[in-house]
Amino acid sequence: MEPPVRLASTGTIIHGVSVGEVLGVSTLAEARLIAGESGLGRIVQRLNVMEVPDILAWVKPHELLLTTGYPLRNTPQSLGRLVADLDDRGLAALAIKLGRYVDELPEEMAEQADRLGFPLILLPNDVGFDDILNQVLTDILNRQAADLLRAEEAHRALVQVVLAGGGLNEVTAEVAALLDVAVAAVDGAGRMLASAGPSDHLAALRESISHEGPPTPGTAGRGQFFAAVPVVAGGHHHGRIVAYSPLGNIRDSDIGILERAATVAALVVTRQEAVNAVESKYRADFLRDVLTGRAGTAERITTRARAFGWDLERPVTVLVAELDPDCDERTAQDRLITSWTAAMRRHDPRGAVAGFSHEVVAVIDAAVDAARVAKDAASAFADMLPATFSTGTSRTCPGADSLPEAYAQALKAARVGRQLHGRGAVAHFDQLGVYRLLSLVNDTEELHAFVRETLGPLASDDDAENADLRRTLQVLLETNLNVAETARRLHFHYNTLRYRIGKLERLLGNFTDDPHLRLNLTLALHVLRMRGI
């Protein structure tokens, strides 16, 4: 389980001091903690004075409430409920002067404060509320000013990292040095992109990100062991910046610096995406030229391919992954490229991969299991989007000169495979059988004319009865005219099927006695199944 994510700040920065630190100011030197010691880490951001009985309507979170007990002088029984009510509203602590209006606090009040970790402070009678207000508010403002100055210095340092051309490694190193914590930049899938800090601390951070929950957090207000902020650029979530301190001393002001680091990381990610987009375009343009035979000589292709880290001199196989219909192409295409690029990196780092308008083409070592590469890419793609793609594989290609032919084979295999097996099909060109031969006929109008001439009215779906008769014909041919088996498959009575056979022969001819006609009918039905290719 990953550490909880803190949403990016709105720009308003509010700091404070802990209750324990408040007790250290000079005016409270004689103050005494009555109960709620476990809550000394609660943060005080403002102060309030209890002057009216309905104070609960006016209090705010992180307040230190000062009172003489005057509003409760006639209803001391209200003290028993006061701690729980104040704690529910997120107050930091209650400081009270005894002896003037309230002589003592009920035992249940102290017990409740201890149970809730809500500090109860006994104020000395010779200290005025105005002195406490002045000193504590001055400390809060000084703390805020110091934190703001620290945040601005951190921001300048992080921006300088980007201006100097640094990446995520430099950003995490700067944050680790600023906060003295272990820091990691993590992508949306939970993979560490960069990290900095002591190795043992990074090990704990990595473990928490991958599967383990973070250690028990520190006392409220005293900091935490883990913190994470999102990295958002261009409206897209690119991951997060995660920090870990074994001492549990990551405070809100530190998280503010992490937020600034996340902003800088977003700039780095955006810059890298722009660079990758340009490189991807060059790669795609070059591979398209290769696959269409416009890239020049074999020597020129080999030289440029090496510049991209591709090896096209060895025997290779071409794969085409084409998005299935009804996909959100703009979003799905990006994910398709990402999935195939990752799969190629694992199986064949020297293989070529690039995305076109609605497909991805990969050229891999012929010795690599193409079906396994397609399966890995499909698995990664399915985790990202509820969309599918069909994959076609070519024959082995001996060199760059024959890549255009191999590309055509893979593209036909992808499209015919989808028609035969549905969405998400994986097909090899050599496994298409008769469909491979039919797909090689360039004149599709001639194929359609053959279908119309052979099937007559059964070539159209305009009439539901025609489609039903075509289904009967297909099963008859598949069973080699076995009437009993066909009747069983179609759930027809034997006599009903005999009647249908007679009707089919009146429409198509005496196919039960003419093997050549049966071959033509079979081919015509195959062409119909390939409609749209």
Side-chain angles (χ1 to χ4, degrees), residues 47-52 55 63-68 129 133:
L47 288 87
N48 199 352
V49 177
M50 185 176 182
E51 296 178 331
V52 293
I55 187 64
E63 277 187 345
L64 171 60
L65 185 60
L66 307 176
T67 184
T68 60
F129 284 173
L133 290 169

Side-chain angles (χ1 to χ4, degrees), residues 335-476:
R335 297 299 189 184
L336 186 64
I337 295 172
T338 300
S339 301
W340 273 90
T341 301
M344 288 289 289
R345 190 179 300 118
R346 288 192 296 271
H347 293 277
D348 185 11
R350 294 187 301 158
V353 60
F356 299 160
S357 58
H358 61 286
E359 67 187 27
V360 170
V361 179
V363 182
I364 66 172
D365 188 341
V368 173
D369 186 346
R372 184 177 178 186
V373 177
K375 183 178 179 180
D376 283 1
S379 177
F381 185 76
D383 291 341
M384 300 176 184
L385 289 171
T388 57
F389 62 85
S390 296
T391 306
T393 306
S394 74
R395 293 169 173 166
T396 298
C397 175
D401 290 341
S402 54
L403 280 172
E405 181 183 356
Y407 170 62
Q409 293 172 358
L411 189 59
K412 288 182 186 296
R415 294 179 179 178
V416 174
R418 180 190 296 116
Q419 291 290 335
L420 299 180
H421 308 297
R423 299 164 62 93
V426 179
H428 192 287
F429 184 72
D430 282 341
Q431 297 171 346
L432 299 180
V434 69
Y435 296 101
R436 184 179 81 219
L437 299 177
L438 293 173
S439 69
L440 294 175
V441 178
N442 294 324
D443 190 350
T444 56
E445 182 55 37
E446 186 64 30
L447 283 176
H448 295 157
F450 170 75
V451 170
R452 290 191 298 269
E453 293 167 5
T454 305
L455 294 179
L458 299 189
S460 171
D461 288 333
D462 294 340
D463 190 331
E465 184 182 7
N466 288 340
D468 194 30
L469 285 172
R470 191 170 67 235
R471 170 63 178 159
T472 301
L473 174 64
Q474 181 176 331
V475 178
L476 273 169

Side-chain angles (χ1 to χ4, degrees), residues 34-77:
I34 301 175
E37 182 178 5
S38 63
L40 287 178
R42 292 183 181 227
I43 295 298
V44 177
Q45 294 177 343
R46 54 181 68 87
L47 288 87
N48 199 352
V49 177
M50 185 176 182
E51 296 178 331
V52 293
D54 59 342
I55 187 64
L56 294 176
W58 305 98
V59 296
K60 297 179 180 179
H62 301 295
E63 277 187 345
L64 171 60
L65 185 60
L66 307 176
T67 184
T68 60
Y70 178 77
L72 303 169
R73 66 191 187 285
N74 297 322
T75 55
Q77 66 274 14

Side-chain angles (χ1 to χ4, degrees), residues 282-296 300-301 304 356 400 403-404:
Y282 280 123
R283 289 169 181 262
D285 288 346
F286 171 62
L287 188 56
R288 185 183 289 108
D289 288 343
V290 171
L291 298 176
T292 54
R294 298 186 307 228
R300 182 173 182 271
I301 291 174
R304 290 198 62 187
F356 299 160
L403 280 172

